[in-house]
Amino acid sequence: MKYIDEFRDGDLARQIGARIAAEALPHRSYSFMEFCGGHTHAISRYGVLELLPPNVRMIHGPGCPVCVLPIGRIDLAIRLALERGAIVCTYGDTMRVPASDSLSFIKAKARGGDIRMVYSAADAMAIARANPQREVVFFAIGFETTTPPTALAIRDAAREGLANFSVLCCHVLTPSAITHILESPEVRQLGTVPIDGFIGPAHVSIVIGSAPYDHFAEEYRKPVVIAGFEPLDVMQAILMLVRQVNEGRAHVENEFTRAVTPEGNLKAQALVSEVFELRPSFEWRGLGEVPYSALKIREAFAAFDAERRFDLSYTPVADNKACECGAILRGVKKPTDCKIFGTVCTPENPVGSCMVSSEGACAAHYTYGRFRDIPIVVTTATEEATP
């Protein structure tokens, strides 16, 4: 297949769904986590759940870069605009993420902060060139997909000597988040759900390749199938996972062979390694502190690190108590389990980050309304340890 509409063929989707139903063993349940918010969006938009048998359930993961932004990081950027007079540039889908004091980027802009929506780090650099007397800060977010363009902007700014440009780096890493979900101590509080396998992200895997997922297959005995974002991609990945579970295998398989290779994009990886290094720890909204899960700017490019330039100090901020984003990002709860879903919390008036981005689980459920009311069985750490 070479055209997008072929990957959205309803007849083929139903055929794959029938194959999944035929091969899914009736006496057991299958729980697969789609890590990426793009997959959650596709599953809701195209009604994938309606084609699956009742014993195959999909669990939302934390792979939405906007959703996992902690409040304290947004607060840092807002203070740069309101208190330090900086021009803060950010992607459009972060503009309405709730922060402290009932603020968000868009509300801070209404209060006089110079906060501008951009499409890329290159746009932020252009703003810095056009405003040489102003400090311009690019609020950099995202997984491995958006990290190389940020690295390129920093390297180019260094070569150009763009002295009024800096980056507030909030780039996070996919493999660390998956590891955290599988073994974090927080499961004692929030519980966990049985996960039989993962649908690996598409765009991230184009950059890092399929090899980094080998660890989960070998160490945790969890199969991973990397899939594209079209509905047939997702359906085929689910079928591949069912077959691995049935056969007792735990391998990394690549459904998205038209774009993903084992080694990934080596040039992009080299650029990221040149500019960034690992942070010892980073807070994720909903996941808490996750070791070695994010990047910071290397000493060689310290002049373009907004945290150093403005001597910023990070302070964690608790989420709204009524919001269930933390449990939803872990897969412990569904969006519809949240008491304020669709009432107090809507895309027009989001209380939690999962309702802001189109990749967020709550936004996808609210927009498309296609979900099956399957109860999620939560087990405690003690119950899991009981033979």
Side-chain angles (χ1 to χ4, degrees), residues 35-84:
F35 179 88
C36 184
H39 286 134
T40 299
H41 180 87
I43 288 169
S44 295
R45 178 181 181 184
Y46 296 105
V48 169
L49 295 185
E50 299 169 11
L51 301 177
L52 300 179
N55 60 331
V56 176
R57 67 183 65 177
M58 302 305 299
I59 302 167
H60 308 299
C64 165
V66 174
C67 302
V68 300
L69 267 177
I71 292 175
R73 289 281 161 187
I74 304 171
D75 287 349
L76 289 179
I78 288 176
R79 287 202 297 271
L80 286 176
L82 293 180
E83 300 173 10
R84 309 293 283 272

Side-chain angles (χ1 to χ4, degrees), residues 9 43 69 75 86 93-94 101 112 207-208 222 253 263 283 287 291 316 318 362 379 382:
D9 187 304
I43 288 169
L69 267 177
D75 287 349
D93 52 0
T94 67
D101 303 321
V207 177
I208 68 174
K222 302 294 184 183
E253 294 182 330
E263 68 277 3
E283 184 189 11
L287 301 187
C362 294
T379 60
T382 302

Side-chain angles (χ1 to χ4, degrees), residues 35-269:
F35 179 88
C36 184
H39 286 134
T40 299
H41 180 87
I43 288 169
S44 295
R45 178 181 181 184
Y46 296 105
V48 169
L49 295 185
E50 299 169 11
L51 301 177
L52 300 179
N55 60 331
V56 176
R57 67 183 65 177
M58 302 305 299
I59 302 167
H60 308 299
C64 165
V66 174
C67 302
V68 300
L69 267 177
I71 292 175
R73 289 281 161 187
I74 304 171
D75 287 349
L76 289 179
I78 288 176
R79 287 202 297 271
L80 286 176
L82 293 180
E83 300 173 10
R84 309 293 283 272
I87 299 175
V88 174
C89 301
T90 184
Y91 294 126
D93 52 0
T94 67
M95 291 293 288
R96 295 186 302 112
V97 179
S100 297
D101 303 321
S102 300
L103 280 176
S104 62
F105 279 127
I106 199 165
K107 291 179 180 178
K109 182 178 178 67
R111 290 192 183 183
D114 196 344
I115 299 172
R116 307 186 189 186
M117 186 187 77
V118 295
Y119 292 101
S120 68
D123 289 347
M125 290 181 66
I127 292 172
R129 295 188 193 102
N131 297 271
Q133 306 305 316
R134 299 280 303 280
E135 289 285 347
V136 177
V137 179
F138 176 58
F139 186 62
I141 72 160
F143 290 91
E144 292 89 343
T145 311
T146 55
T147 306
T150 303
L152 182 62
I154 293 172
R155 192 183 70 178
D156 287 350
R159 292 178 176 178
E160 183 180 331
L162 194 59
N164 65 325
F165 175 77
S166 61
V167 171
L168 181 54
C169 181
C170 299
H171 284 299
V172 290
L173 304 173
T174 300
S176 301
I178 296 177
T179 300
H180 192 71
I181 289 172
L182 292 172
E183 63 179 24
S184 68
E186 284 82 2
V187 299
R188 300 179 186 278
Q189 295 176 318
L190 293 176
T192 187
V193 290
I195 298 175
D196 297 304
F198 291 91
I199 294 182
H203 295 154
V204 164
S205 301
I206 293 174
V207 177
I208 68 174
S210 61
Y213 304 103
D214 290 340
H215 169 71
F216 307 108
E218 296 169 1
E219 182 72 17
Y220 299 102
R221 301 298 302 164
K222 302 294 184 183
V224 179
V225 176
I226 298 165
F229 287 127
E230 296 301 326
L232 290 191
D233 287 320
V234 177
M235 295 292 294
Q236 181 64 26
I238 295 170
L239 177 58
M240 293 165 73
L241 284 171
V242 167
R243 287 173 173 171
Q244 283 209 53
V245 171
N246 287 351
E247 296 167 9
R249 296 185 292 116
H251 298 150
V252 177
E253 294 182 330
N254 182 12
E255 184 276 338
F256 199 32
T257 54
R258 61 189 186 275
V260 174
T261 61
E263 68 277 3
N265 188 325
L266 297 179
K267 288 186 177 180
Q269 294 171 28

